[in-house]
Amino acid sequence: MARALQDGPPTEPAPEGKEWKKTSKDVDGHPVDHWILVDKDDGGPTWPARERLSLLNKDIERVDGAEKVTGAAVYSHDVRLEGMLYAVVLPAAIPQGTYSLDLDAARAVDGVVVAQDVAGGEVRYLGQAVAAVAGITPDHARDGLRALGVEFEAGEWALTREQAMAEGAPAIGRRGNRRSGRARGDSDATRAALESAAAAVEAEYTLPVQHHVCLETHGVVVDYRGGGEATVYASTQGTFTIGSEAAGTLGLRDSDVTAVVEHMGGGFGSKFGLDIPGDIACRLALEAERPVHLLLDRKGESSFVGNRSGGWQRVKAGCDETGKLVALDAEIETYGGLGRGSNPGLPYIYDAQEYSRVQASVMTNTDSSRAMRAPGHPQASFAMESILDELAYEAGLDPLELRKTNLSDPVYHRQLDRVAAEIGWSEHPNRTAPGTGDGWTATGIGFGVATWGGGGRPVCEVDVKISSDGSVTVEVGTQDLGTGVRTYVAAIVAEELGLQVEQVTPRIGSSRYGAANASGGSVTTACLAPSVKAAAWAVRRSFLEKVAGARGVDSGQLKCADGAVHDLSSAAGKLSWSAACALLPSEGVAERGKWNHKLAGNGVHGAQGAKVEVDLKTGQVQVLEMVAVQDCGLPLNHLALRSQLNGGMIQALGYALLEERVLDPELGLNLNPNMEDYKIPGSMQMPLMKAIVDEEDDRQVVIGMSEAAVIPGASAIANAVHNACGARVRELPLTPDKVLAALGRV
Amino acid sequence: MRYRGMRSDPSPERGEAVPDDKLEVSRRGFLQGAGGAAAGALLIQPDAAAAPKARKSGEQSVTLMVNGESRDVSLEARTTLLDALRIRLEDPLTGTKLVCDRGTCGACTVLLDGDPVCSCLVLAVDAVGHEVTTVEGLAPEGEMNAVQRAMCKHDGMMCGFCTPGITVTLTAFMEAQPAATREEVQAALSGNYCRCGTYPHVFDAALEAGRELQEGK
């Protein structure tokens, strides 16, 4: 049986009183199963039964919504400091070679303060940052860039797989341009099983390089004025990934650097660490001894801060008469520029009786790929879900049923059935054969499934304080990427204390607060929420003990509910919140909470479906409807979960139909490093969307799910296009020319 | 062969701001570079004309009418309205966001005499004598308008970076057409990009705001 994503649990037995708990961790943006030793039972908090929750597991309005809709929310882009300089960066216009520049000419420009060579005269990839200038405004800094008179001298490059693998291609990697990974599975058994399969198919699938397109570009504002300390306002997914790197560049001690992430405008896996723009900003600030604002322009954003790797996969698959996958063989290449790219491997989350695969990455003179929301998974999903559909139609089977036949986990069966019911599969005519492609338009339906780890681990340290004036604060250094972290941090505390969300003040986004994980691999909820719960649980107990002591009753007789403290020992014993808090000592009560494994789970499931209309004369694809059913253990905030599910589907729609970095391999140019030529989904492309939180999942633990949401959508859309009209497009994005070609019209 | 720098493009010779990606390969550089990847060393250099002499800044003081207040601001002829608001004002208004700087994404949308415009495409000096309304000025301090309230209720935001532009556009549109359908709302927002994928909730918010605005009339 092939399970692509797991390694085995530890073989050593757990010590007395401990047990192994499976969770997940993020390694270079990849979720990796991870076992940790935990106490069997520490008597700590548990999540209340769902019917007893008054705030959680419901729709909770974002606590910072008003700030965001009135423009009051301050992002790193918006930080304004006395004497601050604005910096701009020049990306290389060649993929490989050398350059020269005249820094003094830039420094002589009116309004320019600092100019620096960033790459030491050598270019290794197209768009690499080569020079930076800081001036009194961005316009003045750009004047400086122009005055540098940069001259590029191009050497030999390879921007495509074909160029990288050609005879006499320039050596990009130290160990060759193609690096092979480990072969897996049993190729002989797979070959034999394929030969005896009732139905078999073979196909090649190609994937583009996709950009993250964070609306707030990468960068920081460094507040350094030559003294012994600095503050870095960073657009980052990890408050605690900034400080030591910035300190290293600025020559300070780690403890003298504060990182601040009040709000951040999108990361999707690309924003960890000080990064190239942050490092440049620190160097400019060091020279100028003034604060420097360096948030990239779109060109820089499209050039040297990462992407989702492209790829190619050749897949052979065979099934028996019932649709059971008897064999799957895959040859996988990833295209991650100077990086390796990613693909978790096939048969992805499906079961195959026999499988084999070989994997390799091909290097080019382009920016290294980075983690991008579920790194590698949409790529693997596209090949796997496509080949399953091809196999189903080859065998004359219903592709929905064939999926269930090859998914051992019953959760997927119920989720696929729910998606099918929502999208109208049973009334759809093309269930075992695609449409013919005759007529003007055709409608089709396709499916896909997703998995993710999303487990937690002990990182976060959360402080909750109740003051004698009745105010409640919760502090932790975590960052809110827009997922609603700030909101559930407040809501968990409010739930525990029987308060309304707005009675709790969440303070996040500073390295001066308690430690927190970086938000990669959808681990934040499972790392953070248990720690918040533990702190709130501890502070409630301390609070009630103090109140009980002041009233001379047993704290076991007191209960926080409905914005009051109820004294169960006397019939009329109810204290208002402020009256109860007034009984506290002047310093109030405060507790720190750490991670509690009983509150966090690991492993989510999702299923999605898409209904499309294909214009058979123009090849245009319009997605009519998308449905997602997703579990995540205990849902903290349904409203924010639906937002995340919608977002995943929409980004997948972009991957399916629109998004692709386009290079000119002959001239060595990036042809769409902007938002007018690199298209992301807009309002006019929006289908009807149904984002459904799978409430049949009754696990009383929290698990991250947002990466799962982006995985199956593009596969479902591609399958729906084929289901509509028989046009099997094996290369994303499904642009009209490819649809027409698949229809045999061009 | 024309490559870049067509007549309609901004020109440094004329003192206009030129987007960086239009600068780094000149027409001459392009012709020199047209030999292809394997042709060995080739030279690409910025157009000499695109590297201006150090030039004296032409700072001038103008008065902008922003959110009902008269604001004196020092700027250059080339300063966009977006930069004037975000960078040049003494107490800058940073709610309006810079994203694409090309009028593609709508994050910088403000109202100019009540109509939504991309402030990255408007020179600040051209806004003199006109009423500029930014996201900060859509409702009185400490209050929210119907669109803003509905955006909060329906979670019409995630990271929030597109949110000011969407909120400004929607405010103008829903106040003009409170009975708009979902399809009309989609069309009205076709100039506003969101990367997190908030559109469905934004549509819900728009329709709710429309109902509220109709009831209020």
Side-chain angles (χ1 to χ4, degrees):
Chain A
M1 295 292 272
R3 302 298 293 183
L5 310 173
Q6 299 170 7
D7 288 319
T11 48
E12 59 189 284
E16 185 69 25
K18 300 262 185 186
E19 62 187 351
W20 289 107
K21 181 182 174 77
K22 183 182 162 191
T23 178
S24 51
K25 67 176 181 180
D26 192 56
V27 178
D28 299 333
H30 299 266
V32 175
D33 284 349
H34 182 54
W35 274 262
I36 55 176
L37 273 176
V38 297
D39 293 327
K40 269 189 174 156
D41 186 9
D42 63 358
T46 54
W47 298 108
R50 298 186 185 194
E51 64 275 10
R52 287 175 46 215
L53 291 167
S54 56
L55 298 171
L56 303 176
N57 192 33
K58 295 185 165 42
D59 283 7
I60 311 171
E61 271 189 38
R62 209 169 274 269
V63 295
D64 44 12
E67 273 184 76
K68 288 184 174 179
V69 298
T70 60
V74 175
Y75 297 74
S76 298
H77 263 224
D78 305 330
V79 172
R80 299 288 176 267
L81 302 169
E82 185 70 34
M84 187 175 80
L85 302 175
Y86 291 87
V88 293
V89 179
L90 181 73
I94 54 169
Q96 198 282 328
T98 58
Y99 64 92
S100 60
L101 45 68
D102 182 352
L103 294 173
D104 287 335
R107 291 174 185 134
V109 172
D110 184 38
V112 168
V113 178
V114 196
Q116 291 183 358
D117 181 352
V118 171
E122 269 190 58
V123 175
R124 290 191 63 215
Y125 64 91
L126 180 60
Q128 180 180 350
V130 296
V133 175
I136 55 173
T137 72
D139 281 335
H140 291 89
R142 281 190 285 269
D143 290 344
L145 273 193
R146 293 186 191 97
L148 286 169
V150 180
E151 289 192 0
F152 290 104
E153 185 154 330
E156 294 191 357
W157 70 72
L159 289 185
T160 63
R161 181 202 185 277
E162 289 66 33
Q163 287 178 332
M165 298 302 293
E167 188 90 12
I172 301 167
R174 256 166 286 166
R175 280 173 292 152
N177 293 348
R178 187 174 193 277
R179 293 175 293 182
S180 294
R182 192 149 57 105
R184 296 205 182 222
D186 184 335
S187 55
D188 291 339
T190 303
R191 197 177 309 112
L194 274 172
E195 279 167 15
S196 60
V201 288
E202 175 178 350
E204 294 176 34
Y205 303 97
T206 305
L207 293 145
V209 167
Q210 182 185 27
H211 281 301
H212 299 78
V213 198
C214 311
L215 291 198
E216 183 182 40
T217 52
H218 287 60
V220 302
V221 176
V222 185
D223 188 1
Y224 173 78
R225 298 157 203 255
E229 57 184 30
T231 301
V232 182
Y233 301 88
S235 185
T236 181
Q237 296 175 230
T239 311
F240 295 94
T241 66
I242 301 294
S244 64
E245 289 182 18
T249 304
L250 292 169
L252 300 175
R253 292 178 306 180
D254 290 8
S255 58
D256 293 326
V257 177
T258 304
V260 176
V261 195
E262 188 65 24
H263 293 280
M264 64 88 69
F268 314 112
S270 64
K271 288 182 177 171
F272 298 101
L274 188 60
D275 207 349
I276 295 163
D279 187 60
I280 294 171
C282 286
R283 290 175 196 283
L284 294 169
L286 194 61
E287 182 179 338
E289 300 196 341
R290 289 169 69 168
V292 169
H293 178 289
L294 200 174
L295 282 300
L296 298 178
D297 58 14
R298 288 319 311 175
K299 178 80 185 268
E301 186 72 10
S302 305
S303 295
F304 53 85
V305 289
N307 51 67
R308 182 188 294 289
S309 59
W312 169 89
Q313 295 162 86
R314 186 194 344 250
V315 191
K316 300 173 192 170
C319 65
D320 64 16
E321 293 79 4
T322 68
K324 183 85 200 146
L325 204 52
V326 294
L328 182 134
D329 177 74
E331 196 182 334
I332 300 169
E333 281 186 352
T334 55
Y335 307 137
L338 294 182
R340 298 210 70 151
S342 56
N343 187 312
L346 303 181
Y348 193 41
I349 49 184
Y350 289 92
D351 301 323
Q353 284 171 356
E354 300 294 344
Y355 84 100
S356 56
R357 67 170 184 261
V358 291
Q359 196 156 335
S361 61
V362 178
M363 295 179 80
T364 56
N365 294 108
T366 57
D367 185 19
S368 174
S369 64
R370 293 186 179 183
M372 180 168 176
R373 198 170 180 178
H377 284 237
Q379 292 96 316
S381 168
F382 176 61
M384 192 62 208
E385 302 287 0
S386 295
I387 200 83
L388 282 180
D389 258 37
E390 301 210 35
L391 194 57
Y393 295 127
E394 175 73 18
L397 297 169
D398 177 333
L400 181 79
E401 296 304 320
L402 183 127
R403 279 178 171 71
K404 289 177 352 196
T405 302
N406 293 293
L407 287 163
S408 53
D409 192 331
V411 174
Y412 286 119
H413 295 220
R414 103 179 162 228
Q415 290 184 338
L416 279 167
D417 285 341
R418 177 83 188 273
V419 170
E422 294 286 342
I423 212 158
W425 180 245
S426 65
E427 306 93 61
H428 186 61
N430 309 345
R431 290 200 301 285
T432 52
T436 59
D438 296 328
W440 284 90
T441 62
T443 302
I445 293 173
F447 301 96
V449 294
T451 187
W452 199 254
R457 63 187 192 283
V459 189
C460 298
E461 296 179 340
V462 180
D463 294 297
V464 180
K465 181 177 180 186
I466 304 175
S467 298
S468 55
D469 66 359
S471 62
V472 181
T473 57
V474 48
E475 287 180 354
V476 56
T478 190
Q479 53 288 324
D480 190 340
L481 279 55
T483 54
V485 165
R486 189 181 260 111
T487 303
Y488 74 61
V489 164
I492 291 167
V493 176
E495 177 83 49
E496 187 75 21
L497 299 177
L499 300 174
Q500 295 302 305
V501 178
E502 52 274 16
Q503 289 177 270
V504 177
T505 303
R507 296 195 186 119
I508 67 169
S510 167
S511 60
R512 294 291 162 203
Y513 299 144
N517 62 290
S519 292
S522 296
V523 299
T524 300
T525 294
C527 286
L528 177 61
S531 314
V532 178
K533 169 76 179 177
W537 181 83
V539 87
R540 179 175 56 78
R541 286 160 60 104
S542 300
F543 169 67
L544 291 180
E545 277 168 22
K546 293 270 194 297
V547 173
R551 284 173 65 87
V553 298
D554 176 12
S555 67
Q557 296 295 312
L558 298 181
K559 185 182 160 200
C560 291
D562 310 321
V565 175
H566 300 261
D567 186 345
L568 306 176
S569 65
S570 70
K574 179 176 162 183
L575 277 172
S576 71
W577 180 256
S578 57
C581 293
L583 298 175
L584 294 176
S586 57
E587 71 273 16
V589 288
E591 293 290 346
R592 168 163 282 203
K594 296 194 175 187
W595 192 68
N596 181 306
H597 69 91
K598 296 200 306 288
L599 302 171
N602 183 66
V604 295
H605 318 72
Q608 294 186 13
K611 182 187 282 182
V612 306
E613 183 178 87
V614 182
D615 185 319
L616 300 167
K617 305 301 180 194
T618 66
Q620 280 285 347
V621 175
Q622 174 78 31
V623 183
L624 301 175
E625 194 174 337
M626 289 185 86
V627 178
V629 175
Q630 179 69 47
D631 68 15
C632 62
L634 171 67
L636 293 174
N637 179 357
H638 282 254
L639 184 59
L641 280 169
R642 294 198 302 276
S643 283
Q644 286 290 304
L645 283 172
N646 283 337
M649 288 189 277
I650 291 167
Q651 289 178 351
L653 186 152
Y655 193 49
L657 300 181
L658 303 167
E659 298 185 39
E660 178 178 22
R661 181 186 69 189
V662 181
L663 304 178
D664 184 323
E666 299 307 316
L667 297 175
L669 300 172
N670 183 347
L671 299 179
N672 57 352
N674 51 52
M675 292 180 73
E676 55 268 29
D677 299 321
Y678 184 100
K679 288 292 186 192
I680 64 171
S683 62
M684 297 302 280
Q685 277 109 16
M686 285 306 105
L688 181 66
M689 311 197 85
K690 290 183 187 163
I692 299 168
V693 176
D694 181 1
E695 297 195 68
E696 291 185 57
D697 179 11
D698 57 4
R699 289 175 288 177
Q700 280 295 89
V701 287
V702 295
I703 317 169
M705 51 59 77
S706 106
E707 297 191 63
V710 86
I711 295 169
S715 313
I717 289 170
N719 281 339
V721 169
H722 177 258
N723 176 262
C725 59
R728 174 59 67 181
V729 181
R730 299 186 178 90
E731 179 179 354
L732 296 184
L734 279 77
T735 46
D737 57 312
K738 292 179 199 155
V739 174
L740 289 178
L743 283 167
R745 298 263 159 88
V746 290
Chain B
M1 183 172 174
R2 299 302 294 269
Y3 178 58
R4 279 175 175 158
M6 286 183 288
R7 191 71 194 111
S8 59
D9 278 1
S11 143
E13 295 92 327
R14 301 201 303 273
E16 293 161 334
V18 179
D20 299 335
D21 71 351
K22 298 213 187 284
L23 277 179
E24 60 197 26
V25 181
S26 66
R27 275 152 278 176
R28 191 165 54 246
F30 165 73
L31 291 173
Q32 289 169 337
L42 59 87
L43 189 71
I44 298 178
Q45 63 179 16
D47 196 317
K53 307 277 183 303
R55 114 178 122 232
K56 282 279 171 239
S57 70
E59 293 279 329
Q60 55 187 312
S61 185
V62 301
T63 302
L64 292 175
M65 184 62 75
V66 185
N67 298 334
E69 283 181 32
S70 181
R71 307 277 297 263
D72 293 334
V73 52
S74 173
L75 42 70
E76 295 174 286
R78 62 178 171 172
T79 306
T80 62
L81 176 57
L82 176 61
D83 275 0
L85 295 167
R86 286 183 52 84
I87 290 172
R88 294 299 195 127
L89 283 180
E90 190 163 319
D91 194 3
L93 291 167
T94 57
T96 308
K97 298 295 184 249
L98 164 71
V99 173
C100 75
D101 214 15
R102 310 278 187 91
T104 303
C105 73
C108 66
T109 305
V110 301
L111 303 182
L112 200 61
D113 295 332
D115 287 332
V117 297
C118 288
S119 60
C120 72
L121 296 184
V122 177
L123 290 174
V125 291
D126 285 339
V128 172
H130 299 275
E131 291 269 353
V132 179
T133 307
T134 71
V135 67
E136 292 94 340
L138 291 179
E141 178 96 34
E143 293 177 35
M144 290 193 281
N145 69 21
V147 167
Q148 290 169 316
R149 285 192 299 274
M151 287 282 281
C152 291
K153 179 177 171 186
H154 290 278
D155 207 35
M157 71 200 87
M158 281 188 258
C159 84
F161 216 69
C162 69
T163 307
I166 284 180
T167 305
V168 169
T169 303
L170 265 189
T171 294
F173 180 69
M174 298 314 297
E175 287 179 356
Q177 297 190 44
T181 62
R182 179 184 144 117
E183 289 70 28
E184 288 165 339
V185 168
Q186 282 181 266
L189 286 171
S190 61
N192 291 86
Y193 275 133
C194 166
R195 184 48 156 171
C196 298
T198 60
Y199 301 110
H201 286 173
V202 170
F203 302 155
D204 293 344
L207 297 179
E208 168 146 343
R211 287 191 293 274
E212 192 183 316
L213 287 164
Q214 287 181 86
E215 285 163 12
K217 276 182 182 164

